[in-house]
Amino acid sequence: MSTTTTRAGGGASAGNRPGHPGKPGASEIVSWKAGIGLSLLAILGTILFAFLAGPKSAGFGIAETSNTGASTLAAWITLVLALVISAGLGYLWFVRRSGPGSGHAPVPRWIPACTVAAVIALCLAALGVAKVSRITLESGPVGWSCAVVLLALAGYSVFLTQAKKTTPRWVGGVFATVFLIGFLVWIVAHGNDAEPAISLAGLIAGSVTLAVPLVFGSLSGVLCERVGVVNIAIEGQLLLGAFSAAVVATVTHNVYAGLVAAAVAGALVSLVLAVVSIKYLVNQIIVGVVLNVLISGLTSFLFSTLLTADPDGLNKPGHLPPVDVPFLSDIPIIGPILFHQSLVGYLMYIAVIVVYLGLFHTKWGLRVRAVGEHPQAADTVGINVNRTRFWNVLMGGAIAGIGGSFFTLVSVDAFSKDMSGGRGYIALAALIFGRWNPIGAFLAALLFGFADNLQSVITIIGSPVPSQFMAMLPYALTVFAVAGLVGRSRPPAASGIPYVKG
């Protein structure tokens, strides 16, 4: 269902150029998918948050650091910096949109994203300065307020589509934020206690922890699919990485050697995938599924025969302790969550940044994306398509292997059968939901980790909402993403297609 705009007189003008938010170009089809998707979610939110609102209030605890003096100082410094940065970015955003020549160049995506991040940091710093330890929200008023906002945003999206204009990205961002607030209040207000409450900082911290292997797995998928290779073997890479990390760290009595071994193990799985699918042109999906089954059987056999027989000599890898980053770990709320991590957690941040900058801001990334979108054209300009694919698949495997080390070096100090628990497949879902973008995949993995952690919270507070509901939510969102109801989700054009030169 769509409407088509045409403009008399030929080409698109600068103010009506293709791709500009809210201003489609000549003969561009404006899809109804965003309006329909937001409307369905708004109706669902209205039923749950407003008509089925709990009779109790919902409490959200905010963790405090043990070093009160350092936390207060960090809160004030963060408040001032966030205020200055958000004001500067807001002014830059306004100038870019309304200044001379603004109709010819869109606002860079990093400006609104960084502005929103600065405003969030400002709000959290303000809570830290005010020493707010708990926030209590009445479920009824909050639910109805969220419902009204959701319906208004959905109606605005439908109105824009009817007027042959695309829905701007900020509508989706605000909609998602309001929906999340309403959902959390609705969940907590149905708890068994007289005044049900959860620790918001604990919920977010647990979500980040659970998302670590998902982020590494989804980054592996990004590197592979951006170059045209479908990596279904992420599950096997995570599992063999966990096994290798446990064994090598135990034998060498060095957890860092185990971390390196995990990366090598993941790369070895990718080596098989690359050779079989790129050189011998075997179906990439079949190869990935076979590798997952093979590694699951192999690690289970070795665990039963070797690791179980001598656990002290082969399955006591040690532990990577969490490390606090000076000053940053004292920032209220987000400091203990983001900057009290193990080495694997910090490597996750570095990997996301490096992969993003490499793909979209380097010559190497341009070649990679060219190979994934149009390998024939890349070949004509001198790019070795299959070699580029080969090395990208190896790098993706090494990254996934590091993610696997999280299970045995951070989460649990021993290897067990199939301990990856299907998270490689969840990473694939995060990859799709994140639209094959490192930042998007990172945020999608956090969403999946949030949903996973919320299952435990629901059980603890005694909410009547089935925990299985949270387990299915990320996959339902992925279906919405693939269907285009929350925006277009399109893989690289040559993904999964082998390339034969000539």
Side-chain angles (χ1 to χ4, degrees), residues 173-194:
V174 175
F175 188 97
T177 302
V178 174
F179 192 94
L180 179 60
I181 293 173
F183 185 75
L184 284 177
V185 172
W186 175 68
I187 286 284
V188 176
H190 282 85
N192 291 335
D193 296 339

Side-chain angles (χ1 to χ4, degrees), residues 19-387:
H20 191 277
K23 296 180 181 180
S27 301
E28 181 178 341
I29 295 177
V30 181
S31 175
W32 279 90
K33 290 181 178 180
I36 293 174
L38 294 181
S39 298
L40 292 175
L41 291 175
I43 293 172
L44 176 63
T46 301
I47 295 173
L48 295 179
F49 311 152
F51 292 104
L52 299 179
K56 308 171 186 176
S57 61
F60 299 93
I62 300 175
E64 296 181 355
T65 61
S66 56
N67 191 344
T68 307
S71 178
T72 302
L73 177 61
W76 276 108
I77 295 177
T78 305
L79 180 68
V80 174
L81 290 176
L83 181 61
V84 173
I85 293 174
S86 58
L89 289 174
Y91 175 76
L92 182 61
W93 191 355
F94 174 78
V95 170
R96 288 292 186 97
R97 286 184 63 88
S98 60
S102 60
H104 298 280
V107 178
R109 292 183 179 181
W110 66 269
I111 293 180
C114 292
T115 303
V116 172
V119 171
I120 293 174
L122 177 64
C123 296
L124 295 178
L127 291 176
V129 169
K131 299 186 182 301
V132 177
S133 60
R134 175 172 171 148
I135 299 175
T136 302
L137 301 174
E138 296 293 333
S139 60
V142 171
W144 279 104
S145 300
C146 291
V148 170
V149 175
L150 294 176
L151 291 172
L153 290 172
Y156 180 60
S157 177
V158 172
F159 169 77
L160 288 177
T161 307
Q162 185 67 33
K164 301 180 179 62
K165 297 180 180 179
T166 56
T167 302
R169 289 188 177 90
W170 67 264
V171 172
V174 175
F175 188 97
T177 302
V178 174
F179 192 94
L180 179 60
I181 293 173
F183 185 75
L184 284 177
V185 172
W186 175 68
I187 286 284
V188 176
H190 282 85
N192 291 335
D193 296 339
E195 295 182 358
I198 63 172
S199 171
L200 188 60
L203 176 63
I204 300 174
S207 303
V208 174
T209 301
L210 291 173
V212 170
L214 302 180
V215 172
F216 280 106
S218 61
L219 288 178
S220 173
V222 168
L223 284 173
C224 294
E225 294 212 26
R226 277 290 181 176
V227 84
V229 177
V230 177
N231 185 6
I232 302 294
I234 296 175
E235 176 73 9
Q237 293 164 350
L238 291 174
L239 189 57
L240 191 60
F243 177 85
S244 302
V247 173
V248 173
T250 304
V251 172
T252 62
H253 303 287
N254 189 321
V255 290
Y256 302 105
L259 188 64
V260 174
V264 174
L268 288 176
V269 178
S270 283
L271 178 63
V272 177
L273 173 64
V275 171
V276 175
S277 63
I278 296 175
K279 183 176 181 179
Y280 295 105
L281 308 180
V282 179
N283 185 283
Q284 298 167 6
I285 296 178
I286 294 177
V287 175
V289 172
V290 170
L291 284 173
N292 288 336
V293 176
L294 173 64
I295 292 169
S296 175
L298 177 63
T299 54
S300 296
F301 170 75
L302 293 176
F303 173 78
S304 301
T305 56
L306 297 179
L307 273 63
T308 304
D310 186 15
D312 292 332
L314 294 174
N315 201 15
K316 294 290 184 181
H319 190 73
L320 282 171
V323 178
D324 288 332
V325 177
F327 176 76
L328 294 180
S329 61
D330 294 324
I331 296 175
I333 305 174
I334 60 174
I337 295 172
L338 299 180
F339 303 108
H340 180 72
Q341 295 285 337
S342 66
L343 176 61
V344 178
Y346 292 120
L347 287 177
M348 175 186 70
Y349 301 147
I350 295 173
V352 172
I353 296 172
V354 170
V355 172
Y356 176 79
L357 293 178
L359 280 178
F360 298 105
H361 297 280
T362 66
K363 184 177 180 180
W364 167 81
L366 182 61
R367 291 181 174 181
V368 166
R369 288 181 286 125
V371 168
E373 291 291 344
H374 203 307
Q376 290 83 2
D379 195 3
T380 59
V381 296
I383 299 175
N384 190 318
V385 173
N386 286 335
R387 184 172 63 187

